[in-house]
Amino acid sequence: MKRVLSGIQPSGNLHIGNYLGALKNWVRIQYDYESIFCIVDLHAITTYQDPAELRRKIEETAALFLAAGIDPKHSAIMVQSAVHGHAELAWMLTCVTPVGWLERMTQYKAKAAAQETIGDGLLQYAVLMAADILIYQAAIVPVGEDQSQHLELTRDVAQRFNSLYGETFVVPETELPSVGARIMGLDDPEKKMSKSVPGSGHAIGLLDEPALARKKIMRATTDSQPAIDFDKIGPGVANLLNIFQAFGGWTDQQMQAHFAGMRYGDLKKQVADMVISGLGPLQKRYNEIVSEPGYLASVLAQGAQRVTPIANSTVELVKRRMGLYTES
Ligand code: ATP
Ligand code: MG
């Protein structure tokens, strides 16, 4: 069975972009593969995180994976830093990755521009991500569109390693959702919705109360047209329609027939209703999961236990390939 790997950083409040671009698809495809889903805390610390808050967000993120429908009986849910091989393999891959490849990464450039001083980890981010994927010999990586470039880099690193040291890694494929691969900020539809972007009107959190979600949608940036014209659609309206379509699973034809000519105020009301009804069951399950003492910890412990032997065997293989010291 092919393996799937994907992860989310516990770097803030998970939002509907994380859900529509990543989580929702993990849930859909999990049973078709051997699936591993990771809370990537080592990635989160590439920008400063308050320690107590980070610890809390790791658990919240794990609970949201479960609430969204990841089945821990089938899929491993684990915290990246609990499996030591990720960081170890990242070093070995760093040594075969040209710095120029990393400096070209859009996410690096954007996040570096937002910081006064940049930790080296921000540059190394993409190598650590390659390690997360390659350590499990994952064939499929379901992510949002913003991660395509990192996936290309992962493929390049795997191929470079394979050509230098002999066939070692599976070269993974990127899987993007057909709708919802890039949800934009409600306050600025030119920028992707992100956990780490401040501003109360930017993102809809998966745990936002219905009234708050509605308020944010009603205030979303649109344009100066009064109503929807599919021939000249602005980015804000396109984003709202995209959110509706991704939650509702409607076809393009259904969307056009229903929304053509609709006034923006009515569009927003319908998007709010759709988002609120989409998040309701998830929020209910979230509350159940966090009120069950010990459950989350046991899921994470089992997840780490299940994947550690796979990670260790790849690290051993890489060590042998590179000529590093191994006991056997
Ligand atoms: P940060 O601002 O801390 O980078 P983020 O919102 O970008 O947070 P990540 O943890 O970096 O979230 O990404 C987790 C997953 O969510 C990835 O698969 C990513 O492609 C996807 N994703 C992130 N933002 C969006 C978005 N706006 N639309 C669709 N998918 C997204
Ligand atoms: Mg991100």
Side-chain angles (χ1 to χ4, degrees), residues 6-11 15 17-18 20-22 26 40 107 111 125 142-147 180-184 192-197:
S6 200
I8 296 184
Q9 300 183 71
S11 51
H15 52 73
N18 301 134
L20 300 172
W26 303 356
V40 288
Q107 177 181 297
K111 291 200 174 180
Y125 186 104
V143 285
E145 199 264 333
D146 64 299
Q147 292 303 320
R182 188 173 181 83
I183 301 298
M184 310 308 281
K192 103 169 175 73
M193 190 178 281
S194 293
K195 278 181 247 109
S196 59
V197 167

PDB file of all heavy atoms in Angstrom, residues 6-11 15 17-18 20-22 26 40 107 111 125 142-147 180-184 192-197, ligand 1:
ATOM      1  N   SER A   6       1.287  14.042   5.470  1.00  0.00           N
ATOM      2  CA  SER A   6       1.095  15.485   5.421  1.00  0.00           C
ATOM      3  C   SER A   6       1.115  16.034   6.848  1.00  0.00           C
ATOM      4  O   SER A   6       1.006  15.262   7.813  1.00  0.00           O
ATOM      5  CB  SER A   6      -0.202  15.854   4.700  1.00  0.00           C
ATOM      6  OG  SER A   6      -0.132  17.203   4.263  1.00  0.00           O
ATOM      7  N   GLY A   7       1.247  17.353   6.966  1.00  0.00           N
ATOM      8  CA  GLY A   7       1.335  17.937   8.304  1.00  0.00           C
ATOM      9  C   GLY A   7       0.801  19.353   8.351  1.00  0.00           C
ATOM     10  O   GLY A   7       0.589  19.996   7.321  1.00  0.00           O
ATOM     11  N   ILE A   8       0.560  19.826   9.566  1.00  0.00           N
ATOM     12  CA  ILE A   8       0.161  21.223   9.794  1.00  0.00           C
ATOM     13  C   ILE A   8       0.988  21.749  10.971  1.00  0.00           C
ATOM     14  O   ILE A   8       1.215  21.032  11.954  1.00  0.00           O
ATOM     15  CB  ILE A   8      -1.357  21.343  10.077  1.00  0.00           C
ATOM     16  CG1 ILE A   8      -2.160  20.905   8.829  1.00  0.00           C
ATOM     17  CG2 ILE A   8      -1.740  22.766  10.490  1.00  0.00           C
ATOM     18  CD1 ILE A   8      -3.670  21.067   8.931  1.00  0.00           C
ATOM     19  N   GLN A   9       1.409  22.992  10.857  1.00  0.00           N
ATOM     20  CA  GLN A   9       2.162  23.617  11.954  1.00  0.00           C
ATOM     21  C   GLN A   9       1.222  24.054  13.075  1.00  0.00           C
ATOM     22  O   GLN A   9       0.200  24.686  12.783  1.00  0.00           O
ATOM     23  CB  GLN A   9       2.846  24.887  11.468  1.00  0.00           C
ATOM     24  CG  GLN A   9       3.819  24.717  10.347  1.00  0.00           C
ATOM     25  CD  GLN A   9       4.468  26.052  10.044  1.00  0.00           C
ATOM     26  OE1 GLN A   9       5.269  26.560  10.822  1.00  0.00           O
ATOM     27  NE2 GLN A   9       4.112  26.647   8.923  1.00  0.00           N
ATOM     28  N   PRO A  10       1.597  23.783  14.325  1.00  0.00           N
ATOM     29  CA  PRO A  10       0.789  24.301  15.455  1.00  0.00           C
ATOM     30  C   PRO A  10       1.179  25.745  15.763  1.00  0.00           C
ATOM     31  O   PRO A  10       1.498  26.077  16.902  1.00  0.00           O
ATOM     32  CB  PRO A  10       1.158  23.345  16.597  1.00  0.00           C
ATOM     33  CG  PRO A  10       2.570  22.935  16.292  1.00  0.00           C
ATOM     34  CD  PRO A  10       2.715  22.940  14.788  1.00  0.00           C
ATOM     35  N   SER A  11       1.140  26.584  14.724  1.00  0.00           N
ATOM     36  CA  SER A  11       1.670  27.950  14.842  1.00  0.00           C
ATOM     37  C   SER A  11       0.586  28.995  15.053  1.00  0.00           C
ATOM     38  O   SER A  11       0.838  30.180  14.910  1.00  0.00           O
ATOM     39  CB  SER A  11       2.463  28.276  13.562  1.00  0.00           C
ATOM     40  OG  SER A  11       1.684  27.987  12.410  1.00  0.00           O
ATOM     41  N   HIS A  15      -7.387  27.378  10.383  1.00  0.00           N
ATOM     42  CA  HIS A  15      -8.442  28.139   9.712  1.00  0.00           C
ATOM     43  C   HIS A  15      -9.040  27.326   8.570  1.00  0.00           C
ATOM     44  O   HIS A  15      -8.560  26.215   8.270  1.00  0.00           O
ATOM     45  CB  HIS A  15      -7.876  29.469   9.216  1.00  0.00           C
ATOM     46  CG  HIS A  15      -6.622  29.322   8.390  1.00  0.00           C
ATOM     47  ND1 HIS A  15      -6.623  28.828   7.106  1.00  0.00           N
ATOM     48  CD2 HIS A  15      -5.311  29.565   8.692  1.00  0.00           C
ATOM     49  CE1 HIS A  15      -5.390  28.800   6.640  1.00  0.00           C
ATOM     50  NE2 HIS A  15      -4.559  29.228   7.585  1.00  0.00           N
ATOM     51  N   GLY A  17      -8.786  27.655   5.492  1.00  0.00           N
ATOM     52  CA  GLY A  17      -7.822  27.346   4.420  1.00  0.00           C
ATOM     53  C   GLY A  17      -7.103  26.035   4.728  1.00  0.00           C
ATOM     54  O   GLY A  17      -6.949  25.181   3.847  1.00  0.00           O
ATOM     55  N   ASN A  18      -6.682  25.861   5.972  1.00  0.00           N
ATOM     56  CA  ASN A  18      -6.030  24.608   6.370  1.00  0.00           C
ATOM     57  C   ASN A  18      -6.985  23.424   6.196  1.00  0.00           C
ATOM     58  O   ASN A  18      -6.585  22.329   5.823  1.00  0.00           O
ATOM     59  CB  ASN A  18      -5.581  24.646   7.839  1.00  0.00           C
ATOM     60  CG  ASN A  18      -4.609  25.759   8.166  1.00  0.00           C
ATOM     61  OD1 ASN A  18      -4.761  26.453   9.162  1.00  0.00           O
ATOM     62  ND2 ASN A  18      -3.611  25.963   7.325  1.00  0.00           N
ATOM     63  N   LEU A  20      -9.820  23.274   4.102  1.00  0.00           N
ATOM     64  CA  LEU A  20     -10.203  23.000   2.705  1.00  0.00           C
ATOM     65  C   LEU A  20      -8.996  22.602   1.855  1.00  0.00           C
ATOM     66  O   LEU A  20      -9.116  21.773   0.947  1.00  0.00           O
ATOM     67  CB  LEU A  20     -10.900  24.223   2.104  1.00  0.00           C
ATOM     68  CG  LEU A  20     -12.184  24.661   2.827  1.00  0.00           C
ATOM     69  CD1 LEU A  20     -12.688  25.984   2.269  1.00  0.00           C
ATOM     70  CD2 LEU A  20     -13.268  23.585   2.727  1.00  0.00           C
ATOM     71  N   GLY A  21      -7.834  23.183   2.168  1.00  0.00           N
ATOM     72  CA  GLY A  21      -6.637  22.865   1.379  1.00  0.00           C
ATOM     73  C   GLY A  21      -6.003  21.545   1.785  1.00  0.00           C
ATOM     74  O   GLY A  21      -5.409  20.861   0.957  1.00  0.00           O
ATOM     75  N   ALA A  22      -6.127  21.181   3.061  1.00  0.00           N
ATOM     76  CA  ALA A  22      -5.395  20.007   3.551  1.00  0.00           C
ATOM     77  C   ALA A  22      -6.308  18.996   4.267  1.00  0.00           C
ATOM     78  O   ALA A  22      -6.651  17.948   3.712  1.00  0.00           O
ATOM     79  CB  ALA A  22      -4.254  20.467   4.468  1.00  0.00           C
ATOM     80  N   TRP A  26      -7.316  14.981   3.500  1.00  0.00           N
ATOM     81  CA  TRP A  26      -6.697  13.867   4.228  1.00  0.00           C
ATOM     82  C   TRP A  26      -7.783  12.879   4.651  1.00  0.00           C
ATOM     83  O   TRP A  26      -7.625  11.679   4.511  1.00  0.00           O
ATOM     84  CB  TRP A  26      -5.998  14.339   5.498  1.00  0.00           C
ATOM     85  CG  TRP A  26      -4.940  15.386   5.333  1.00  0.00           C
ATOM     86  CD1 TRP A  26      -4.461  15.936   4.169  1.00  0.00           C
ATOM     87  CD2 TRP A  26      -4.218  16.010   6.402  1.00  0.00           C
ATOM     88  NE1 TRP A  26      -3.500  16.852   4.465  1.00  0.00           N
ATOM     89  CE2 TRP A  26      -3.323  16.920   5.803  1.00  0.00           C
ATOM     90  CE3 TRP A  26      -4.229  15.883   7.789  1.00  0.00           C
ATOM     91  CZ2 TRP A  26      -2.446  17.697   6.575  1.00  0.00           C
ATOM     92  CZ3 TRP A  26      -3.368  16.653   8.550  1.00  0.00           C
ATOM     93  CH2 TRP A  26      -2.489  17.554   7.944  1.00  0.00           C
ATOM     94  N   VAL A  40       3.504  19.455  12.954  1.00  0.00           N
ATOM     95  CA  VAL A  40       4.925  19.743  12.714  1.00  0.00           C
ATOM     96  C   VAL A  40       5.411  20.879  13.616  1.00  0.00           C
ATOM     97  O   VAL A  40       5.599  22.019  13.188  1.00  0.00           O
ATOM     98  CB  VAL A  40       5.215  19.983  11.207  1.00  0.00           C
ATOM     99  CG1 VAL A  40       5.137  18.666  10.451  1.00  0.00           C
ATOM    100  CG2 VAL A  40       4.274  20.984  10.560  1.00  0.00           C
ATOM    101  N   GLN A 107       7.931  31.077   0.216  1.00  0.00           N
ATOM    102  CA  GLN A 107       7.551  31.179   1.628  1.00  0.00           C
ATOM    103  C   GLN A 107       8.712  31.737   2.457  1.00  0.00           C
ATOM    104  O   GLN A 107       8.512  32.558   3.344  1.00  0.00           O
ATOM    105  CB  GLN A 107       7.134  29.801   2.168  1.00  0.00           C
ATOM    106  CG  GLN A 107       6.793  29.847   3.657  1.00  0.00           C
ATOM    107  CD  GLN A 107       6.392  28.492   4.213  1.00  0.00           C
ATOM    108  OE1 GLN A 107       5.401  27.914   3.809  1.00  0.00           O
ATOM    109  NE2 GLN A 107       7.177  27.981   5.155  1.00  0.00           N
ATOM    110  N   LYS A 111       8.317  35.120   4.560  1.00  0.00           N
ATOM    111  CA  LYS A 111       8.432  35.099   6.020  1.00  0.00           C
ATOM    112  C   LYS A 111       9.684  35.847   6.487  1.00  0.00           C
ATOM    113  O   LYS A 111       9.674  36.488   7.529  1.00  0.00           O
ATOM    114  CB  LYS A 111       8.402  33.666   6.551  1.00  0.00           C
ATOM    115  CG  LYS A 111       7.011  33.033   6.378  1.00  0.00           C
ATOM    116  CD  LYS A 111       6.774  31.839   7.273  1.00  0.00           C
ATOM    117  CE  LYS A 111       5.312  31.389   7.118  1.00  0.00           C
ATOM    118  NZ  LYS A 111       4.950  30.244   7.917  1.00  0.00           N
ATOM    119  N   TYR A 125      13.669  25.404   6.470  1.00  0.00           N
ATOM    120  CA  TYR A 125      12.292  24.901   6.562  1.00  0.00           C
ATOM    121  C   TYR A 125      11.992  23.817   5.521  1.00  0.00           C
ATOM    122  O   TYR A 125      11.485  22.738   5.820  1.00  0.00           O
ATOM    123  CB  TYR A 125      11.327  26.078   6.358  1.00  0.00           C
ATOM    124  CG  TYR A 125       9.867  25.772   6.569  1.00  0.00           C
ATOM    125  CD1 TYR A 125       9.215  26.188   7.726  1.00  0.00           C
ATOM    126  CD2 TYR A 125       9.123  25.082   5.615  1.00  0.00           C
ATOM    127  CE1 TYR A 125       7.864  25.929   7.914  1.00  0.00           C
ATOM    128  CE2 TYR A 125       7.782  24.802   5.808  1.00  0.00           C
ATOM    129  CZ  TYR A 125       7.161  25.224   6.954  1.00  0.00           C
ATOM    130  OH  TYR A 125       5.832  24.950   7.143  1.00  0.00           O
ATOM    131  N   PRO A 142      -0.713  15.248   0.227  1.00  0.00           N
ATOM    132  CA  PRO A 142      -1.848  16.145  -0.013  1.00  0.00           C
ATOM    133  C   PRO A 142      -1.674  17.452   0.750  1.00  0.00           C
ATOM    134  O   PRO A 142      -1.650  17.465   1.982  1.00  0.00           O
ATOM    135  CB  PRO A 142      -3.055  15.352   0.516  1.00  0.00           C
ATOM    136  CG  PRO A 142      -2.478  14.374   1.501  1.00  0.00           C
ATOM    137  CD  PRO A 142      -1.018  14.221   1.237  1.00  0.00           C
ATOM    138  N   VAL A 143      -1.543  18.552   0.016  1.00  0.00           N
ATOM    139  CA  VAL A 143      -1.293  19.876   0.621  1.00  0.00           C
ATOM    140  C   VAL A 143      -2.095  20.932  -0.122  1.00  0.00           C
ATOM    141  O   VAL A 143      -2.672  20.663  -1.172  1.00  0.00           O
ATOM    142  CB  VAL A 143       0.203  20.258   0.514  1.00  0.00           C
ATOM    143  CG1 VAL A 143       1.059  19.494   1.499  1.00  0.00           C
ATOM    144  CG2 VAL A 143       0.717  20.094  -0.916  1.00  0.00           C
ATOM    145  N   GLY A 144      -2.070  22.157   0.409  1.00  0.00           N
ATOM    146  CA  GLY A 144      -2.606  23.302  -0.304  1.00  0.00           C
ATOM    147  C   GLY A 144      -1.598  23.792  -1.339  1.00  0.00           C
ATOM    148  O   GLY A 144      -0.427  23.400  -1.321  1.00  0.00           O
ATOM    149  N   GLU A 145      -2.083  24.662  -2.207  1.00  0.00           N
ATOM    150  CA  GLU A 145      -1.285  25.096  -3.358  1.00  0.00           C
ATOM    151  C   GLU A 145       0.012  25.802  -2.943  1.00  0.00           C
ATOM    152  O   GLU A 145       1.027  25.696  -3.624  1.00  0.00           O
ATOM    153  CB  GLU A 145      -2.166  26.009  -4.218  1.00  0.00           C
ATOM    154  CG  GLU A 145      -1.706  26.197  -5.640  1.00  0.00           C
ATOM    155  CD  GLU A 145      -0.886  27.456  -5.788  1.00  0.00           C
ATOM    156  OE1 GLU A 145      -1.081  28.415  -4.996  1.00  0.00           O
ATOM    157  OE2 GLU A 145      -0.050  27.489  -6.693  1.00  0.00           O
ATOM    158  N   ASP A 146      -0.029  26.501  -1.798  1.00  0.00           N
ATOM    159  CA  ASP A 146       1.174  27.237  -1.374  1.00  0.00           C
ATOM    160  C   ASP A 146       2.354  26.312  -1.102  1.00  0.00           C
ATOM    161  O   ASP A 146       3.490  26.764  -1.069  1.00  0.00           O
ATOM    162  CB  ASP A 146       0.872  28.068  -0.116  1.00  0.00           C
ATOM    163  CG  ASP A 146       0.510  27.202   1.080  1.00  0.00           C
ATOM    164  OD1 ASP A 146      -0.494  26.459   1.011  1.00  0.00           O
ATOM    165  OD2 ASP A 146       1.248  27.236   2.077  1.00  0.00           O
ATOM    166  N   GLN A 147       2.096  25.024  -0.878  1.00  0.00           N
ATOM    167  CA  GLN A 147       3.191  24.096  -0.578  1.00  0.00           C
ATOM    168  C   GLN A 147       3.739  23.378  -1.808  1.00  0.00           C
ATOM    169  O   GLN A 147       4.672  22.581  -1.705  1.00  0.00           O
ATOM    170  CB  GLN A 147       2.756  23.078   0.488  1.00  0.00           C
ATOM    171  CG  GLN A 147       2.535  23.695   1.868  1.00  0.00           C
ATOM    172  CD  GLN A 147       3.768  24.414   2.385  1.00  0.00           C
ATOM    173  OE1 GLN A 147       4.891  23.950   2.218  1.00  0.00           O
ATOM    174  NE2 GLN A 147       3.579  25.573   2.993  1.00  0.00           N
ATOM    175  N   GLY A 180     -10.506  24.785  -3.528  1.00  0.00           N
ATOM    176  CA  GLY A 180     -10.091  25.126  -2.161  1.00  0.00           C
ATOM    177  C   GLY A 180      -8.599  24.988  -1.909  1.00  0.00           C
ATOM    178  O   GLY A 180      -8.148  25.042  -0.775  1.00  0.00           O
ATOM    179  N   ALA A 181      -7.799  24.847  -2.984  1.00  0.00           N
ATOM    180  CA  ALA A 181      -6.351  24.670  -2.812  1.00  0.00           C
ATOM    181  C   ALA A 181      -5.672  25.958  -2.341  1.00  0.00           C
ATOM    182  O   ALA A 181      -4.557  25.918  -1.821  1.00  0.00           O
ATOM    183  CB  ALA A 181      -5.723  24.203  -4.121  1.00  0.00           C
ATOM    184  N   ARG A 182      -6.337  27.071  -2.560  1.00  0.00           N
ATOM    185  CA  ARG A 182      -5.752  28.347  -2.133  1.00  0.00           C
ATOM    186  C   ARG A 182      -6.862  29.289  -1.694  1.00  0.00           C
ATOM    187  O   ARG A 182      -7.451  30.011  -2.496  1.00  0.00           O
ATOM    188  CB  ARG A 182      -4.935  28.960  -3.282  1.00  0.00           C
ATOM    189  CG  ARG A 182      -4.129  30.173  -2.873  1.00  0.00           C
ATOM    190  CD  ARG A 182      -3.224  30.619  -4.020  1.00  0.00           C
ATOM    191  NE  ARG A 182      -2.420  31.755  -3.657  1.00  0.00           N
ATOM    192  CZ  ARG A 182      -1.259  31.681  -2.980  1.00  0.00           C
ATOM    193  NH1 ARG A 182      -0.772  30.523  -2.632  1.00  0.00           N
ATOM    194  NH2 ARG A 182      -0.601  32.780  -2.676  1.00  0.00           N
ATOM    195  N   ILE A 183      -7.149  29.303  -0.408  1.00  0.00           N
ATOM    196  CA  ILE A 183      -8.149  30.205   0.161  1.00  0.00           C
ATOM    197  C   ILE A 183      -7.430  31.501   0.521  1.00  0.00           C
ATOM    198  O   ILE A 183      -6.344  31.473   1.100  1.00  0.00           O
ATOM    199  CB  ILE A 183      -8.807  29.567   1.408  1.00  0.00           C
ATOM    200  CG1 ILE A 183      -9.479  28.224   1.058  1.00  0.00           C
ATOM    201  CG2 ILE A 183      -9.782  30.535   2.077  1.00  0.00           C
ATOM    202  CD1 ILE A 183     -10.613  28.312   0.063  1.00  0.00           C
ATOM    203  N   MET A 184      -8.039  32.619   0.169  1.00  0.00           N
ATOM    204  CA  MET A 184      -7.384  33.910   0.377  1.00  0.00           C
ATOM    205  C   MET A 184      -7.896  34.583   1.658  1.00  0.00           C
ATOM    206  O   MET A 184      -8.960  34.224   2.177  1.00  0.00           O
ATOM    207  CB  MET A 184      -7.635  34.813  -0.832  1.00  0.00           C
ATOM    208  CG  MET A 184      -7.326  34.165  -2.180  1.00  0.00           C
ATOM    209  SD  MET A 184      -5.673  33.423  -2.279  1.00  0.00           S
ATOM    210  CE  MET A 184      -4.683  34.888  -2.564  1.00  0.00           C
ATOM    211  N   LYS A 192      -2.790  34.867   0.639  1.00  0.00           N
ATOM    212  CA  LYS A 192      -3.397  33.621   1.103  1.00  0.00           C
ATOM    213  C   LYS A 192      -3.735  33.714   2.583  1.00  0.00           C
ATOM    214  O   LYS A 192      -3.037  34.376   3.348  1.00  0.00           O
ATOM    215  CB  LYS A 192      -2.461  32.440   0.812  1.00  0.00           C
ATOM    216  CG  LYS A 192      -1.723  31.925   2.002  1.00  0.00           C
ATOM    217  CD  LYS A 192      -1.006  30.626   1.775  1.00  0.00           C
ATOM    218  CE  LYS A 192      -0.206  30.291   3.027  1.00  0.00           C
ATOM    219  NZ  LYS A 192      -1.036  29.849   4.142  1.00  0.00           N
ATOM    220  N   MET A 193      -4.826  33.075   2.976  1.00  0.00           N
ATOM    221  CA  MET A 193      -5.201  33.005   4.391  1.00  0.00           C
ATOM    222  C   MET A 193      -4.118  32.229   5.136  1.00  0.00           C
ATOM    223  O   MET A 193      -3.703  31.161   4.689  1.00  0.00           O
ATOM    224  CB  MET A 193      -6.556  32.289   4.509  1.00  0.00           C
ATOM    225  CG  MET A 193      -7.176  32.346   5.884  1.00  0.00           C
ATOM    226  SD  MET A 193      -8.817  31.539   5.945  1.00  0.00           S
ATOM    227  CE  MET A 193      -9.871  32.783   5.223  1.00  0.00           C
ATOM    228  N   SER A 194      -3.616  32.782   6.250  1.00  0.00           N
ATOM    229  CA  SER A 194      -2.535  32.143   7.002  1.00  0.00           C
ATOM    230  C   SER A 194      -2.779  32.262   8.490  1.00  0.00           C
ATOM    231  O   SER A 194      -3.304  33.272   8.948  1.00  0.00           O
ATOM    232  CB  SER A 194      -1.195  32.824   6.707  1.00  0.00           C
ATOM    233  OG  SER A 194      -0.805  32.604   5.377  1.00  0.00           O
ATOM    234  N   LYS A 195      -2.322  31.259   9.226  1.00  0.00           N
ATOM    235  CA  LYS A 195      -2.421  31.300  10.688  1.00  0.00           C
ATOM    236  C   LYS A 195      -1.626  32.444  11.264  1.00  0.00           C
ATOM    237  O   LYS A 195      -1.986  33.033  12.277  1.00  0.00           O
ATOM    238  CB  LYS A 195      -1.798  30.014  11.276  1.00  0.00           C
ATOM    239  CG  LYS A 195      -2.682  28.815  11.275  1.00  0.00           C
ATOM    240  CD  LYS A 195      -1.925  27.654  11.917  1.00  0.00           C
ATOM    241  CE  LYS A 195      -1.634  26.579  10.918  1.00  0.00           C
ATOM    242  NZ  LYS A 195      -0.244  26.453  10.537  1.00  0.00           N
ATOM    243  N   SER A 196      -0.488  32.706  10.637  1.00  0.00           N
ATOM    244  CA  SER A 196       0.460  33.643  11.247  1.00  0.00           C
ATOM    245  C   SER A 196       0.219  35.089  10.822  1.00  0.00           C
ATOM    246  O   SER A 196       0.981  35.962  11.218  1.00  0.00           O
ATOM    247  CB  SER A 196       1.885  33.221  10.886  1.00  0.00           C
ATOM    248  OG  SER A 196       2.036  33.202   9.482  1.00  0.00           O
ATOM    249  N   VAL A 197      -0.809  35.345  10.029  1.00  0.00           N
ATOM    250  CA  VAL A 197      -1.108  36.737   9.669  1.00  0.00           C
ATOM    251  C   VAL A 197      -2.054  37.333  10.717  1.00  0.00           C
ATOM    252  O   VAL A 197      -3.094  36.747  11.021  1.00  0.00           O
ATOM    253  CB  VAL A 197      -1.734  36.821   8.254  1.00  0.00           C
ATOM    254  CG1 VAL A 197      -2.324  38.195   7.992  1.00  0.00           C
ATOM    255  CG2 VAL A 197      -0.687  36.490   7.197  1.00  0.00           C
TER     256      VAL A 197
HETATM  257  P1  ATP B   1       1.584  29.686   8.823  1.00  0.00           P
HETATM  258  O1  ATP B   1       1.101  31.080   8.586  1.00  0.00           O
HETATM  259  O2  ATP B   1       2.068  29.463  10.227  1.00  0.00           O
HETATM  260  O3  ATP B   1       2.558  29.198   7.773  1.00  0.00           O
HETATM  261  P2  ATP B   1      -0.534  28.317   7.424  1.00  0.00           P
HETATM  262  O4  ATP B   1      -1.916  28.806   7.566  1.00  0.00           O
HETATM  263  O5  ATP B   1       0.190  28.644   6.176  1.00  0.00           O
HETATM  264  O6  ATP B   1       0.269  28.773   8.719  1.00  0.00           O
HETATM  265  P3  ATP B   1       0.586  25.647   7.476  1.00  0.00           P
HETATM  266  O7  ATP B   1       0.679  24.908   8.764  1.00  0.00           O
HETATM  267  O8  ATP B   1       1.826  26.317   6.977  1.00  0.00           O
HETATM  268  O9  ATP B   1      -0.586  26.734   7.613  1.00  0.00           O
HETATM  269  O10 ATP B   1       0.017  24.695   6.349  1.00  0.00           O
HETATM  270  C1  ATP B   1      -0.752  23.532   6.654  1.00  0.00           C
HETATM  271  C2  ATP B   1      -1.482  23.049   5.421  1.00  0.00           C
HETATM  272  O11 ATP B   1      -2.546  23.955   5.088  1.00  0.00           O
HETATM  273  C3  ATP B   1      -0.610  22.935   4.168  1.00  0.00           C
HETATM  274  O12 ATP B   1      -1.002  21.793   3.431  1.00  0.00           O
HETATM  275  C4  ATP B   1      -0.946  24.193   3.401  1.00  0.00           C
HETATM  276  O13 ATP B   1      -0.730  24.060   2.003  1.00  0.00           O
HETATM  277  C5  ATP B   1      -2.413  24.333   3.719  1.00  0.00           C
HETATM  278  N1  ATP B   1      -2.831  25.732   3.623  1.00  0.00           N
HETATM  279  C6  ATP B   1      -2.349  26.765   4.349  1.00  0.00           C
HETATM  280  N2  ATP B   1      -2.973  27.910   4.037  1.00  0.00           N
HETATM  281  C7  ATP B   1      -3.867  27.587   3.059  1.00  0.00           C
HETATM  282  C8  ATP B   1      -4.810  28.352   2.310  1.00  0.00           C
HETATM  283  N3  ATP B   1      -4.938  29.656   2.509  1.00  0.00           N
HETATM  284  N4  ATP B   1      -5.584  27.703   1.406  1.00  0.00           N
HETATM  285  C9  ATP B   1      -5.468  26.371   1.201  1.00  0.00           C
HETATM  286  N5  ATP B   1      -4.577  25.602   1.878  1.00  0.00           N
HETATM  287  C10 ATP B   1      -3.790  26.189   2.802  1.00  0.00           C
END
